[in-house]
Amino acid sequence: MEILSDGGQKSIQKAPRKGMSTGGKILIAATGGVGIGLSIVCASFVAPAFRKICLPYVPATTEQIQNVLSFLPKNATGKLLDIGSGDGRIVLAAAQHTKGLKTDGVELNPWLVYYSRLSALRHGVTRQASFYRRDLWKFNIKDYNFVVIFGVEQMMKDLEHKLIAECPHNTKIIACRFKLPNLEPERIIEDGVNTVWFYDLNKQTRQVSGNS
């Protein structure tokens, strides 16, 4: 802004700057907070892609759940483990289907674990269903009578070795999407992408772990 002085000379006077309103500051802070929160949540889903073997989150279909349940007797007892349990739908369905079976899920993504625990509370099966945030390769599976696998092809060989080495001799294995490379399935439900393979370790040779 230009102003004439008494001597006729021009002097320059800057207009006062307006400060940011409180509402604007709150909006910027809120936007930044939401952005950081979304980054943290998304990182939990993206991080597995940088692991040696990526186990992506792909929810089980209704058909897959029914195929899995067809191998679980309603009077089954003992313990079931879902490897890579995702949002927990297999664990919860098995708990509701059998009533007498303790069902567990192991999952690396913390947000899916929290969601699964909330779903168990909502369905009233918190005493029967549990979820653990662990690395599946370090998780102890020696006490489980049933193991459900939603894996990827690259992991099935190593996972087969772990199952044979650690599971009890009478463990039943239910593999979805991809079969185990060496074990012979007792039964198969052929259903395209929803195909399920059922294995009984009690009827398998324990020396498969040494196969290439």
Side-chain angles (χ1 to χ4, degrees):
M1 178 183 297
E2 295 183 351
I3 301 176
L4 287 175
S5 63
D6 293 339
Q9 295 181 339
K10 294 181 179 180
S11 63
I12 300 175
Q13 181 177 342
K14 294 183 179 180
R17 294 182 179 179
K18 293 183 178 180
M20 183 180 294
S21 66
T22 302
K25 294 178 181 179
I26 294 175
L27 180 59
I28 292 175
T31 303
V34 170
I36 293 173
L38 288 175
S39 299
I40 293 173
V41 173
C42 291
S44 300
F45 291 88
V46 175
F50 297 96
R51 299 175 66 87
K52 182 179 179 180
I53 298 178
C54 174
L55 185 58
Y57 167 54
V58 181
T61 65
T62 301
E63 291 77 12
Q64 285 172 333
I65 294 174
Q66 291 305 313
N67 290 343
V68 169
L69 295 181
S70 68
F71 291 121
L72 297 177
K74 286 186 175 293
N75 61 348
T77 57
K79 297 178 66 178
L80 174 145
L81 176 66
D82 182 14
I83 293 179
S85 55
D87 61 7
R89 60 184 66 189
I90 288 287
V91 175
L92 300 180
Q96 294 173 316
H97 175 75
T98 59
K99 302 301 181 184
L101 192 66
K102 176 70 174 67
T103 60
D104 294 342
V106 57
E107 169 62 48
L108 196 58
N109 187 314
W111 303 104
L112 292 175
V113 172
Y114 299 148
Y115 179 85
S116 299
R117 291 172 179 170
L118 183 61
S119 296
L121 179 63
R122 190 170 64 248
H123 288 86
V125 292
T126 52
R127 292 187 178 182
Q128 191 177 347
S130 300
F131 297 91
Y132 303 94
R133 182 179 178 263
R134 306 277 176 77
D135 184 333
L136 69 89
W137 302 109
K138 300 176 182 178
F139 191 78
N140 191 336
I141 61 175
K142 68 178 183 178
D143 296 326
Y144 290 96
N145 310 99
F146 295 89
V147 177
V148 180
I149 309 166
F150 277 82
V152 293
E153 190 172 11
Q154 301 95 312
M155 70 181 289
M156 298 308 282
K157 180 180 177 181
D158 290 339
L159 188 54
E160 181 181 68
H161 291 173
K162 178 178 175 67
L163 292 166
I164 294 173
E166 298 181 20
C167 285
H169 288 260
N170 63 344
T171 296
K172 311 297 188 296
I173 302 169
I174 303 170
C176 307
R177 298 197 181 106
F178 294 96
K179 67 178 182 177
L180 297 170
N182 296 303
L183 292 178
E184 290 294 328
E186 291 294 310
R187 290 173 56 195
I188 303 174
I189 296 179
E190 295 281 359
D191 191 11
V193 295
N194 299 315
T195 297
V196 174
W197 294 264
F198 177 80
Y199 303 86
D200 186 346
L201 283 188
N202 196 40
K203 299 180 181 180
Q204 305 285 340
T205 60
R206 308 295 285 187
Q207 294 168 0
V208 175
S209 58
N211 293 350
S212 57

